[in-house]
Amino acid sequence: TSMAKNKKDENPSTISSVEETLTRTEQYLEENYKTLLIGLGAIVILVGLGWLARIYLNKRNDEAQSQMYQAEKYLEIDSLKLALNGDGNYLGFLDIAKDYKFTNSGNLARYCAGICYLHLGNYNEAIDFLNKYSKKDKVIGSLAIGATGDAYVELGNLDKGVSKYIEAADYAKNSFNSPIFMMKAAEIYESTGKYQEALNLYEIIQNKYPESTEGTTIEKNIARVKLLIK
């Protein structure tokens, strides 16, 4: 039939087209096989290096964690200089931050060093280390920002301190940290006569975080500051 004839006529053309494509592919591979092999080798090397780097960093992080344990114990009992500088057997936060800088523990050591400096009254050093801490955790990240606010307030820079407290509250977005930092900012606003700004923050605490420790007693703050607004 004519249909069978048409299908028969199409077959040689289709086969020829496939053969032509295969030939072109073979020619491309022959002409570029060295480049392709080099590219493939580079990919294999990069994957291998990434795997080795992860193994190395995990090992270094384990080492840092074992050193951090004692430094954290010193921090808990307010032996801040030992926590910072070590005791001769275990490293302190400063050396851990420096020697293990690319590990998670080294990063956490920067935060801990900043807290030590804050409590020692070395506020500029505290700000420096807290800013170097890479925020990988919402809770600790907000605490780092808030501690930076504490340092600025202690240095007398109240505006910067308030901005850091508000930043910490926004970063945390939880019912524990956020109202704490909002309360700190509101109290500074109130102490400097910015009563409307203080009221705004008190009302946010009341509306968004009524179950928090701050929220359960916030009505007295709201009532007091409303009397001061003229």
Side-chain angles (χ1 to χ4, degrees), residues 35-60:
T35 303
L36 293 170
L37 284 176
I38 291 170
L40 181 60
I43 292 170
V44 170
I45 290 170
L46 287 173
V47 171
L49 288 174
W51 179 68
L52 290 173
R54 281 196 297 273
I55 291 175
Y56 174 75
L57 287 176
N58 286 338
K59 182 175 180 294
R60 294 284 288 169

Side-chain angles (χ1 to χ4, degrees), residues 167-178:
E167 181 185 344
D170 289 341
Y171 186 84
K173 284 187 171 58
N174 66 55
S175 60
F176 181 74
N177 288 17
S178 294

Side-chain angles (χ1 to χ4, degrees), residues 132-153:
K132 286 178 180 176
Y133 168 69
S134 177
K135 297 181 286 297
K136 297 184 177 182
D137 178 274
K138 280 285 182 185
V139 174
I140 297 177
S142 67
L143 291 175
I145 298 168
T148 306
D150 291 338
Y152 279 117
V153 168

Side-chain angles (χ1 to χ4, degrees), residues 71-140:
E72 287 170 342
K73 288 294 181 185
Y74 284 133
L75 178 57
E76 288 174 9
I77 61 174
D78 289 331
S79 295
L80 301 176
K81 291 185 178 178
L82 286 173
L84 270 174
N85 300 305
D87 60 8
N89 293 315
Y90 291 91
L91 298 179
F93 293 128
L94 293 179
D95 283 331
I96 294 170
K98 183 173 119 180
D99 295 346
Y100 300 92
K101 64 177 65 175
F102 298 114
T103 67
N104 290 332
S105 294
N107 182 46
L108 183 59
R110 290 192 282 274
Y111 165 76
C112 294
I115 296 299
C116 288
Y117 276 130
L118 178 64
H119 291 305
L120 286 168
N122 298 344
Y123 302 120
N124 287 312
E125 290 87 347
I127 291 168
D128 183 47
F129 273 90
L130 291 167
N131 283 337
K132 286 178 180 176
Y133 168 69
S134 177
K135 297 181 286 297
K136 297 184 177 182
D137 178 274
K138 280 285 182 185
V139 174
I140 297 177

Side-chain angles (χ1 to χ4, degrees), residues 5 11 39 47 92 190 206 209:
K5 183 178 179 182
N11 287 339
V47 171
E190 192 173 343
Q206 183 183 48
Y209 306 106

